[in-house]
Amino acid sequence: MANISDVTAADFQAKVLDASKTKPIVVDFWAEWCGPCKAMAPILDEVAAHYGDKAEILKLNVDEHPSVSQQYGVMSIPTTIYFKDDKPAGQSIGLTDKTELMAHIDKLLA
């Protein structure tokens, strides 16, 4: 995952909320044991490579940082939440294809 960084509860404010004031931030809520999460990883990597510096994709492990997933009402994984201007601006639940991910990001870039 060369194009994707991890985010934790400790740096969520800086990496997601503050950073989303300048560009869309996409947070993939996932867990190591989740099959669909693993299937989505290469899709997210492709999307991250496509957008480069225009948008950022981060991964948050729900097992390691349950407080953040609870704060955003994540009940099943994978869940992808799109942030803009320091708040959620959309979400996808379940295995999401490249077209849907890009449509959400393009809307935030428009």
Side-chain angles (χ1 to χ4, degrees):
M1 300 295 138
N3 301 307
I4 299 175
S5 302
D6 290 325
V7 63
T8 67
D11 60 11
F12 195 85
Q13 178 72 41
K15 280 187 163 181
V16 178
L17 302 179
D18 294 345
S20 71
K21 294 174 185 171
T22 58
K23 63 183 169 185
I25 305 293
V26 179
V27 180
D28 173 37
F29 289 80
W30 73 289
E32 195 67 48
W33 49 264
C34 168
C37 299
K38 289 180 181 181
M40 198 159 146
I43 298 167
L44 289 167
D45 205 36
E46 267 186 61
V47 171
H50 174 80
Y51 287 101
D53 292 338
K54 290 188 257 171
E56 188 168 0
I57 298 179
L58 302 170
K59 296 178 77 63
L60 184 129
N61 186 315
V62 297
D63 289 336
E64 294 174 6
H65 307 284
S67 62
V68 179
S69 48
Q70 289 168 357
Q71 180 179 350
Y72 289 98
V74 174
M75 303 298 268
S76 62
I77 54 172
T79 290
T80 308
I81 300 181
Y82 309 86
F83 289 85
K84 183 172 172 125
D85 298 325
D86 80 2
K87 58 186 176 288
Q91 79 174 20
S92 304
I93 298 172
L95 182 57
T96 306
D97 66 26
K98 184 177 174 180
T99 306
E100 183 180 339
L101 287 165
M102 291 174 71
H104 278 284
I105 297 168
D106 288 343
K107 196 165 96 174
L108 296 177
L109 287 169

